[in-house]
Amino acid sequence: MGEALENKKETYRLQGLSCTNCAAKFEKNIREIHTVNDVQLNFGASKLTVFGEATIEQLEKAGAFDGIKLLPENQRIEEMKRPFWEKAENKTTILSLLFIIVGYTSMFKLGEVDLTTIIIFAVAIFIGGFSLFKVGVRNLSKLQFDMKTLMTIAVLGAAIIGEWSEGAVVVFLFALSEALESYSMDKARESIRSLMDIAPKTALVRRGIHEKKLNVEDILLGDVLIIKPGEKLAMDGEVVKGQSSINQAAITGESIPVLKTVGDEVFAGTINEEGALEVKVTKRVEDTTIAKIIHLVEEAQAERAPSQVFIDTFARYYTPVIMLIALLLAIVPPLLMGGAWSEWVYRGLTVLVVGCPCALVISTPVAIVTAIGNAAKKGVLIKGGVHLEEAGRLQVIAFDKTGTLTNGTPEVTDIIVLGKMNESELLRISVALEKLSQHPLASAIIRKAKEKGISQHEYTAENFQSITGKGTKAEVNNQLYYIGSPKLFEEIGHLPDAVITQINGLQTEGKTVIVVGTNNEIFGLIAVADKLRDSSSNVMKRLQKIGIEKTIMLTGDNKATGQAVANEVGLSEVRAELLPQDKLATIKTLRDKYGKVAMVGDGVNDAPALAAATVGIAMGGAGTDAAIETADIALMADDLDKLPYTIQLSRRALTIIKENVIFALGLKIVALLFIIPGWLTLWMAVFADMGATLIVVLNSLRLLKVKE
């Protein structure tokens, strides 16, 4: 029983989580609940995972200081979008402003020290700062020093030394800053919310002879969905009746609809453009491709990037240092230099306000959240801030050839018969050997044989054996045959010069040559070519334009074929005749030489190389669990065009993070220097802090505008 309790895990969505400091405090409060073993708080996605036992009431009590509400992760909620000025906290801010205006009117007519003026400003402070003081005083009693604690000390200090008007303005500006920060973070989080709203919540289902509308949670595997023209698909499945063009932009970012017919895979959240379809459900609602994307995007936003780790560590030491500076500034000049207490205490309070690390703390997470959300909407799944930053530092990109630079559907272009065997017999033997192979080129030979009316079952191969990276061998009609690369037959020791000349000629045309023969005789050559993607050449030009130093192709093909493809595409370098382990070794060598290296592949065959690269980028993640799981970044559409956009977005994100950190720190330093001679007032300090936070957030939101 105790073990079950320890392993219990609950995930909630949060409402009202306003700032990173509040998130850290909320997490700390939950850890203090004795039945909670661990907690993970995702600020970017507003999600909380609790390990152990805790009721919603206990958790909401831990977040009561910020008015945080919890909802079960899977509970569907319709968020009412209220205008900015209708929210309760914003109403009190506006009311506080009205009292400040009345207070300044009274000050000009009756004077600053008049009791009426003081009472009006005191009311403004109370209305605008009640929730702030409630938290700040509680923090002070526990000696917890965060932004609200610093503000509470500053406002109370201003009142004590008679600066009522300043205190009121500080309260108003701080409340306004929090409201605008909350609004800006909501804008950044909209990328996830829009993903969550992509798939419909209900669907028309046929069970037996009955049709009924069901919630997606009640739909079972094997149910048949009826999809009318113009409707969105609610679940992943397989088309069992009809054909239609499907707009998959929500999942893959592709703008051109894709024709789907019986047997094709379709995804939840995509739009049926024209024909009626019947789709058999193949995945539960929590396992659909869009559900996986949402989950991975949320997890990615929770993962702290290197720059964020640095900022968090910096802020931990920064706040106590600021408090020490404020204290010394308030007491040293009056004690040692005969300065006026009110003047220097005022300056110390101003240091506290300026020192709030709000802009600095939010400088990185808001940029990460925005960039990852923007990428997801365009069909690029970036699995964490660390991968976003690493992609922005790339100098070299290595590409697999088949299925990455090419379409991945090789075709037989030439069949050259050598010796006494005819073409049909050569194909029969080749099919018998290749039908047991997993190699992509094997399917090309089987397709060619089918075109010529040759069945897969005419000959049977016995004692089949795969020769890794080189070919296969098996007995057909009691004769041992080999089929594979020229390298295989060189090792066997039987490849005449005349045949080598023919092979070289085909390879210089960019074709891959497969040799068929026995231990002592060559019966024929089969040339296969995989058509290049239309976008490959343009992608290389764009990558070079945005500053990628080197583009390298890693292929198992021979050098001549690899070089022919490289010349056509515009690659910097080719590494040919590589086995899977050679690709892995090559990636490690490139990392040693250039530092940051990406590998672009299909996420299955290239898994070791993808894992060894600084950033592993998988092609065609939609519907491919292996691609999503293996890679750091998945291009959901089978579209190389998304690669330059991804690199550009990552570089822009890095730039914006640096700008945010430099601006936030720079402004603090300038403001602190202005305080010493008394050039910066208390309300100006709050205004500077508020301005810095807003500029940092707005600067980060520029990432929403990065286009493909």
Side-chain angles (χ1 to χ4, degrees):
M1 182 72 181
E3 193 176 328
L5 184 68
E6 198 172 307
N7 294 330
K8 189 178 178 185
K9 172 183 165 186
E10 292 286 348
T11 302
Y12 304 92
R13 295 200 174 274
L14 305 173
Q15 290 184 318
L17 186 65
S18 61
C19 67
T20 47
N21 283 322
C22 305
K25 185 177 176 185
F26 181 40
E27 188 175 334
K28 182 176 179 292
N29 289 350
I30 294 170
R31 287 186 191 280
E32 289 172 2
I33 300 172
H34 71 278
T35 50
V36 170
N37 299 312
D38 195 13
V39 59
Q40 292 172 358
L41 198 153
N42 182 336
F43 176 67
S46 278
K47 272 177 74 174
L48 174 76
T49 303
V50 177
F51 299 86
E53 184 75 37
T55 64
I56 287 182
E57 290 73 23
Q58 283 178 299
L59 297 172
E60 287 188 346
K61 187 179 176 185
F65 67 91
D66 202 32
I68 297 167
K69 298 293 176 190
L70 283 84
L71 293 160
E73 183 183 22
N74 297 321
Q75 182 178 321
R76 298 202 174 276
I77 45 164
E78 297 297 326
E79 280 199 41
M80 294 289 291
K81 289 200 173 181
R82 290 181 296 160
F84 181 77
W85 53 86
E86 278 190 17
K87 292 183 178 178
E89 60 271 27
N90 297 341
K91 283 181 181 177
T92 57
T93 304
I94 293 165
L95 190 59
S96 173
L97 175 63
L98 294 175
F99 272 97
I100 289 169
I101 293 167
V102 173
Y104 272 102
T105 306
S106 172
M107 190 169 82
F108 288 125
K109 286 187 176 181
L110 304 173
E112 190 175 354
V113 293
D114 185 84
L115 185 61
T116 305
T117 304
I118 290 171
I119 290 170
I120 294 169
F121 280 127
V123 170
I125 289 171
F126 181 79
I127 291 171
F130 180 72
S131 60
L132 164 68
F133 300 142
K134 206 163 61 171
V135 178
V137 171
R138 193 185 305 130
N139 286 356
L140 263 176
S141 67
K142 295 178 181 178
L143 294 178
Q144 293 175 352
F145 296 100
D146 64 5
M147 191 169 58
K148 289 186 177 178
T149 316
L150 300 185
M151 283 294 174
T152 300
I153 295 169
V155 173
L156 292 176
I160 289 166
I161 61 173
E163 296 288 347
W164 291 95
S165 60
E166 293 254 355
V169 174
V170 165
V171 163
F172 166 71
L173 288 176
F174 180 72
L176 181 62
S177 170
E178 289 226 303
L180 292 174
E181 184 186 326
S182 175
Y183 173 78
S184 303
M185 274 308 296
D186 280 345
K187 289 291 285 181
R189 287 179 182 135
E190 266 178 23
S191 54
I192 288 184
R193 290 205 192 111
S194 63
L195 283 174
M196 294 175 80
D197 294 335
I198 282 172
K201 311 296 184 282
T202 60
L204 185 63
V205 178
R206 178 186 293 134
R207 285 182 181 168
I209 58 170
H210 301 290
E211 292 180 6
K212 52 184 172 181
K213 206 148 208 167
L214 294 175
N215 289 328
V216 288
E217 289 86 356
D218 300 324
I219 295 172
L220 306 173
L221 295 177
D223 277 345
V224 175
L225 308 184
I226 297 165
I227 318 293
K228 296 172 184 174
E231 285 187 341
K232 277 187 178 182
L233 279 76
M235 308 284 280
D236 283 13
E238 180 186 317
V239 177
V240 291
K241 188 177 178 182
Q243 72 170 37
S244 179
S245 292
I246 300 285
N247 184 333
Q248 300 191 146
I251 303 293
T252 65
E254 296 168 283
S255 55
I256 300 167
V258 180
L259 181 67
K260 298 284 184 178
T261 187
V262 175
D264 287 340
E265 187 178 20
V266 288
F267 308 113
T270 58
I271 302 168
N272 179 23
E273 300 247 310
E274 49 205 30
L277 291 175
E278 291 188 12
V279 173
K280 184 174 76 174
V281 175
T282 55
K283 291 180 182 175
R284 296 182 185 279
V285 64
E286 63 269 19
D287 298 324
T288 60
T289 302
I290 188 66
K292 283 184 178 174
I293 291 171
I294 292 165
H295 175 72
L296 286 168
V297 168
E298 290 182 333
E299 292 304 306
Q301 291 181 335
E303 186 182 328
R304 298 196 304 167
S307 56
Q308 194 172 340
V309 173
F310 165 73
I311 292 298
D312 290 349
T313 307
F314 181 83
R316 200 179 306 142
Y317 298 103
Y318 167 86
T319 304
V321 168
I322 285 293
M323 292 195 68
L324 183 62
I325 291 170
L327 181 65
L328 292 174
L329 193 64
I331 63 172
V332 170
L335 286 175
L336 301 183
M337 294 180 281
W341 277 100
S342 61
E343 182 185 333
W344 287 99
V345 167
Y346 180 86
R347 291 182 194 182
L349 296 174
T350 311
V351 168
L352 284 184
V353 174
V354 163
C356 283
C358 193
L360 187 63
V361 169
I362 206 168
S363 60
T364 300
V366 73
I368 299 287
V369 167
T370 306
I372 290 174
N374 183 21
K377 286 168 77 174
K378 290 185 169 64
V380 178
L381 191 55
I382 302 172
K383 289 169 65 177
V386 62
H387 308 306
L388 178 77
E389 288 196 10
E390 293 287 27
R393 297 188 179 100
L394 289 173
Q395 300 300 320
V396 176
I397 302 180
F399 296 86
D400 174 46
K401 179 174 80 74
T402 306
T404 303
L405 296 173
T406 65
N407 288 319
T409 50
E411 295 173 6
V412 173
T413 56
D414 305 85
I415 300 174
I416 299 168
V417 177
L418 304 168
K420 51 197 175 188
M421 192 178 285
N422 62 36
E423 185 179 292
S424 295
E425 185 69 7
L426 182 70
L427 276 174
R428 284 188 183 93
I429 291 167
S430 299
V431 167
L433 270 72
E434 292 286 39
K435 70 182 178 185
L436 298 172
S437 171
Q438 298 296 316
H439 199 281
L441 300 183
S443 58
I445 294 170
I446 292 165
R447 281 196 302 273
K448 189 67 175 178
K450 193 177 179 182
E451 280 174 30
K452 292 189 172 281
I454 296 168
S455 167
Q456 289 188 42
H457 309 293
E458 290 191 26
Y459 287 165
T460 303
E462 294 176 352
N463 299 322
F464 174 87
Q465 188 179 336
S466 175
I467 304 163
T468 307
K470 294 168 190 169
T472 62
K473 67 177 181 177
E475 289 178 14
V476 179
N477 298 334
N478 298 318
Q479 171 68 52
L480 180 63
Y481 288 95
Y482 291 83
I483 184 167
S485 66
K487 198 171 183 180
L488 172 64
F489 284 85
E490 282 175 9
E491 288 178 9
I492 293 169
H494 187 76
L495 204 58
D497 291 343
V499 175
I500 292 172
T501 303
Q502 285 180 294
I503 290 169
N504 290 341
L506 292 166
Q507 287 177 345
T508 53
E509 294 172 20
K511 297 169 183 175
T512 301
V513 181
I514 297 165
V515 184
V516 185
T518 62
N519 277 321
N520 49 28
E521 191 175 354
I522 305 295
F523 291 121
L525 307 175
I526 300 174
V528 178
D530 188 0
K531 192 182 174 190
L532 282 169
R533 290 177 186 270
D534 296 335
S535 60
S536 292
S537 181
N538 183 45
V539 166
M540 297 310 142
K541 287 175 187 167
R542 286 170 63 194
L543 288 173
Q544 285 161 14
K545 195 173 179 182
I546 61 176
I548 296 297
E549 288 178 20
K550 225 172 187 26
T551 50
I552 301 171
M553 182 172 74
L554 308 182
T555 178
D557 271 343
N558 60 82
K559 288 178 184 174
T561 303
Q563 198 58 56
V565 171
N567 292 342
E568 194 173 341
V569 173
L571 291 156
S572 317
E573 193 179 321
V574 178
R575 305 281 178 95
E577 298 179 12
L578 300 177
L579 299 174
Q581 60 265 35
D582 298 328
K583 287 186 181 181
L584 174 61
T586 304
I587 289 293
K588 287 179 177 175
T589 305
L590 290 170
R591 282 192 71 170
D592 290 341
K593 187 174 180 182
Y594 297 103
K596 307 292 181 183
V597 177
M599 173 71 191
V600 186
D602 63 11
V604 184
N605 301 335
D606 301 307
L610 284 168
T614 312
V615 181
I617 303 172
M619 295 283 291
T624 313
D625 292 346
I628 293 177
E629 295 302 325
T630 307
D632 304 315
I633 297 174
L635 309 181
M636 299 304 288
D638 199 20
D639 182 4
L640 205 58
D641 265 331
K642 302 283 183 189
L643 184 59
Y645 155 76
T646 306
I647 305 299
Q648 206 164 350
L649 176 73
S650 302
R651 292 195 168 187
R652 184 72 65 83
L654 265 184
T655 303
I656 281 176
I657 288 168
K658 283 175 188 170
E659 287 172 357
N660 286 350
V661 172
I662 291 167
F663 177 76
L665 275 176
L667 192 68
K668 298 288 180 197
I669 292 165
V670 170
L672 287 169
L673 292 174
F674 276 27
I675 289 168
I676 295 167
W679 297 344
L680 200 73
T681 62
L682 202 57
W683 72 265
M684 285 168 66
V686 181
F687 194 75
D689 184 67
M690 179 184 78
T693 302
L694 286 178
I695 288 168
V696 159
V697 171
L698 292 172
N699 192 38
S700 298
L701 291 179
R702 286 167 53 214
L703 288 165
L704 290 172
K705 295 183 178 178
V706 178
K707 291 188 171 63
E708 293 175 55

